[in-house]
Amino acid sequence: MHVVTNEQMRLLDEETIKKFVPGLTLMERAGQGITDAVLELAGETEGLCVSIFLGRGNNAGDGLVVARLLAEQGAKCILFYLHEPEDLSPDAFKNYSKLSRFRKSGTVEEVPIYLEGWEDKIIKGMSESDLIIDALLGTGINSPVRDEYASIIGLINHAGLPVMSIDIPSGVNGTTGEVMGTAVMADITVTMALPKTGSCFYPGKAFTGSLEVVDIGIPDEVIEAAGLDTWVLDEMAAVADLPHHSPEAHKFERGSLLVVAGSRRYAGAACLSAISALRTGCGIVYLAGPESIRTVVQSSYPEIIFVSLRETAAGSIAESAMSVIFEEITFDAAAIGPGLTGEKVTEVFVRSFVLRCKAPLLIDADGINAYEGHYEELKTLSKDRPIILSPHSGELRRLTGLDLPATPVERADALRKLVMDTRITLVHKGAPTLIAHAGGRVDVNVHGHPGLATAGSGDVLTGAIAGLLAQGAGPDEAARAGVFVHSKAAEIAAELTGERGMIAGDCSDSLPMAFRELEELTP
């Protein structure tokens, strides 16, 4: 599913209305989708009372459709108007006019809060309500929220009721995710047609709550003609990216992976990467690391095959360790970097390994740091085999000299340019994680939670991606599926531990459950 900016969505709407569907029909479909979300949340309409806050644009029009549809099913709706009805957009006013019979029945109560005494009226209305629907501002805001709007947002946020925002929480810029002074803190955001970048990137993502997308019937040909190249990772995309095995496959046919990782100081990074790769379904994982971590690895994870390498006095892999790897091991894919340290001799080893390795390769952490200032070299090396890089912002800066822009569109474009015309897939770890592909596509991962900001989380991700790579997934597919499953595993783990107390091992342990959930969706 694509992710769009305000301008891209506006153009999609305009093209659809011009060639295919009247705007009023799109508004009706939007209102129906939001109503379905309300009913799913509330369970039934009997005794249900909903406060709906209305601005003047088409966002308010969606809210008016919801009021009519809920009233038809017996719910009571209290409509708070910030403007005279005559100031509504043309399509919104048409839906305002359709409410006349519900005004007479009392299922729709209208409160003009552009008159004096509006604050007490809001407090009274919300005290009777079970749910608040935010139809105030929509995606088009580009200046700070002021006056009555700011005051009303404050009342909504302190009402102690579930809040559902239409399209995007009022006060959040739909393109940048910037909070324009203040914003509604939604529990659920029901967005039209496609997710907006402002809901996928922080700080806007923190105000969005759970994000639900309503199909309002934008034709596929309109979306394809728009040339959109930013996507959101979702379950069905991840299912399509998963490698599959014959039921009679043996372990070597399920993929063999070499993980080159660890040091005396960072044995845990090596263990987490290797065991996480096994948990993806990879048939066999070799962990090549310094001899001093052998006991830790083998006593903790007997499933991992340890390959002992010569080490430096400090306990890092020595430059002379190279021959053991290529003389003794056959592997389908490799990962290098977690926990290696920045010792100069180890950096020389890393660069020699990358030069000699012809299998699909993931480079992470200290593997990336070994190429500080030498990104062009990696671009050249990628011509001989696909390379996945998984840096955080600091590692990316050291590698390329690039400070990523703060705004979503510019950030995605900067990553896109870095890998254009290479065989590099770039996984930029962050909140959210972005995946840039050589063909120009950028994927946005909207899953996961702040508990992933913990030591070892990146090592688990390395294992998840590399394990899929070894099983025959292409680098783009392995990166997408690995990132998605890693974040879903973190969500599963947090259900047991809470976000605050989750550690990387909890996430690794939850990988099988995340895969099981995906496989249950397989057609």
Side-chain angles (χ1 to χ4, degrees), residues 345-419:
V345 292
T346 304
E347 290 183 356
V348 173
F349 165 83
V350 169
R351 294 175 69 158
S352 298
F353 175 86
V354 173
L355 186 64
R356 289 186 60 178
C357 178
K358 301 306 177 185
L361 176 64
L362 185 152
I363 308 175
D364 181 44
D366 290 321
I368 295 171
N369 291 333
Y371 283 89
E372 182 173 352
H374 294 279
Y375 180 57
E376 292 299 319
E377 186 177 339
L378 279 178
K379 288 169 66 175
T380 300
L381 289 170
S382 75
K383 295 176 182 177
D384 296 328
R385 96 289 282 151
I387 293 176
I388 300 174
L389 300 176
S390 54
H392 55 58
S393 292
E395 291 161 348
L396 185 68
R397 186 183 308 112
R398 288 190 286 274
L399 175 64
T400 66
L402 176 68
D403 281 308
L404 283 179
T407 56
V409 175
E410 287 77 12
R411 194 185 317 171
D413 285 344
L415 293 171
R416 189 178 281 120
K417 289 175 184 175
L418 281 175
V419 299

Side-chain angles (χ1 to χ4, degrees), residues 127-139:
S127 71
E128 301 172 6
S129 298
D130 305 295
L131 171 70
I132 294 171
I133 294 180
D134 158 33
L136 287 170
L137 294 170
T139 59

